[in-house]
């Protein structure tokens, strides 16, 4: 008999990235609830080291879409939010800087706090949106030209854009993408890679089946093949920008 764990877990297990949305707008009530849920996420020492920028200007959306590699849903989704690691507000609260002063530089730990706080808040917001019948997709492509995004959004020192999020009512019903088996990600007492070869092979088979179903038989790419293709690409260069923004990543 299939186990039921309640609506929260069932909702999380049914997450799909949505890339096609209806024209129905997201109400202010729902926007507020989604943001409030994000704000209730765990935060390191209650620093709440993140900010969200809601993009409503069409020209700005078009520029951001171009930066992401012309992902059309950045322009077409009812809502597009940019999630930023934000230590600027913290320095002001701590009396270490203000808008007219040079802010104290932050080390890699500060950046890590901001990145983790931002991701936790965004995932809370994503789960909240899905519970309301909405769909989301994360947009890491804003880091394709992170400096330009920072300029467009007028980000001060110690604030860095990490990813975007499209939000809206789904106009598609994609199948759920399978994940690695729990045995591949859960370790006990110490890290062990001894079973990785067989676990990856098993996942490759499931991933091929998923790709066949998703593409209507046109593709059957394995996870390993996708990762090899990604590895062959040059990674986004963001270290220089983060240093420009005041994060000392070598400490």
């Amino acid at each position: 008999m299939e186990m039921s764990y309640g609506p929260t877990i069932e909702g999380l297990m049914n997450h799909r990235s949505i890339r096609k949305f209806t024209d129905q707008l997201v109400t202010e009530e729902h926007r507020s609830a989604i943001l409030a849920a994000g704000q209730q996420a765990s935060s390191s020492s209650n620093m709440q080291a993140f900010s969200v920028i809601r993009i409503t200007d069409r020209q700005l959306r078009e520029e951001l879409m171009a930066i992401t590699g012309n992902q059309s849903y950045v322009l077409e989704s009812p809502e597009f939010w940019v999630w930023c690691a934000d230590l600027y507000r913290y320095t002001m609260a701590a009396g270490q800087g203000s808008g007219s002063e040079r802010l104290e530089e932050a080390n890699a730990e500060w950046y890590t706090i901001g990145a983790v706080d931002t991701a936790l808040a965004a995932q809370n917001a994503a789960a909240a949106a899905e519970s309301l019948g909405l769909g989301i997709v994360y947009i890491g492509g804003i880091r394709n030209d992170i400096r330009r995004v920072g300029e467009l959004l007028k980000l001060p020192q110690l604030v860095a854009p990490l990813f975007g999020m499209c939000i809206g009512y789904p106009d598609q019903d994609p199948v759920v993408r399978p994940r690695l088996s729990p045995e591949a990600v859960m370790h006990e007492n110490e890290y062990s890679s001894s079973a990785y070869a067989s676990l990856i092979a098993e996942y490759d088979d499931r991933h091929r089946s998923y790709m066949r179903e998703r593409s209507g038989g046109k593709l059957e790419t394995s996870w390993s093949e996708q990762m090899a293709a990604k590895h062959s690409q040059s990674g986004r260069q963001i270290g220089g920008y983060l240093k420009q923004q005041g994060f000392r990543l070598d400490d």
Side-chain angles (χ1 to χ4, degrees):
M1 186 176 71
E2 186 175 340
M3 295 290 292
S4 176
Y5 295 99
T8 299
I9 291 179
E10 289 179 5
L12 294 172
M13 296 297 287
N14 284 317
H15 165 74
R16 289 90 45 83
S17 291
I18 299 299
R19 295 177 173 85
K20 187 177 181 183
F21 302 91
T22 71
D23 294 332
Q24 183 177 351
L25 299 179
V26 180
T27 65
E28 182 178 354
E29 180 183 11
H30 281 179
R31 283 199 308 272
S32 297
I34 292 166
L35 179 60
Q39 288 189 266
Q40 285 302 117
S42 297
S43 171
S44 179
S45 301
N46 197 33
M47 290 171 69
Q48 303 176 67
F50 72 93
S51 284
V52 188
I53 300 178
R54 181 185 178 220
I55 310 299
T56 58
D57 182 88
R58 184 173 179 83
Q59 182 177 346
L60 181 54
R61 284 253 207 140
E62 289 176 348
E63 293 193 65
L64 292 172
M65 179 185 68
I67 289 170
T68 69
N70 292 312
Q71 298 181 60
S72 61
Y73 26 94
V74 171
L75 179 62
E76 297 165 356
S77 61
E79 295 285 328
F80 184 63
W81 297 4
V82 178
W83 294 79
C84 305
D86 184 354
L87 275 299
Y88 178 89
R89 185 174 55 240
Y90 160 78
T91 61
M92 294 188 67
Q96 297 183 26
S98 71
S100 61
E101 299 173 1
R102 182 179 181 276
L103 299 177
E104 178 182 313
E105 289 187 331
N107 61 19
E109 169 66 4
W110 280 38
Y111 173 73
T112 302
I113 287 170
V116 172
D117 270 18
T118 306
L120 292 174
Q123 190 58 22
N124 253 31
E130 291 174 345
S131 77
L132 294 169
L134 296 154
I136 70 101
V137 63
Y138 285 101
I139 307 295
I142 66 165
R143 300 192 303 278
N144 289 346
D145 190 349
I146 195 171
R147 281 186 173 85
R148 180 58 180 153
V149 172
E151 292 168 358
L152 288 170
L153 303 185
K154 298 179 172 58
L155 301 182
Q157 286 274 285
L158 299 180
V159 180
L162 298 185
F163 46 81
M165 179 187 285
C166 298
I167 308 172
Y169 288 93
D171 195 23
Q172 59 179 179
D173 188 22
V175 295
V176 176
R177 185 188 296 268
R179 299 303 199 211
L180 288 159
S181 68
E183 294 80 7
V185 298
M186 173 68 84
H187 305 257
E188 187 168 346
N189 297 323
E190 62 182 25
Y191 190 94
S192 174
S193 60
S194 60
Y196 274 0
S198 61
L199 291 170
I200 290 172
E202 180 273 333
Y203 182 51
D204 280 342
D205 287 340
R206 287 190 288 119
H207 199 276
R208 287 190 193 95
S209 297
Y210 158 78
M211 290 301 295
R212 280 195 296 270
E213 182 178 359
R214 172 178 167 175
S215 67
K218 297 177 182 178
L219 297 172
E220 50 180 45
T221 316
S222 72
W223 183 67
S224 294
E225 289 168 337
Q226 284 192 345
M227 296 305 101
K230 181 174 179 59
H231 187 66
S232 68
Q233 301 169 356
S234 58
R236 299 179 180 116
Q237 304 300 310
I238 68 171
Y241 173 76
L242 294 176
K243 290 180 181 179
Q244 171 190 308
Q245 288 297 97
F247 292 100
R248 290 197 321 272
L249 301 183
D250 52 353
D251 289 353

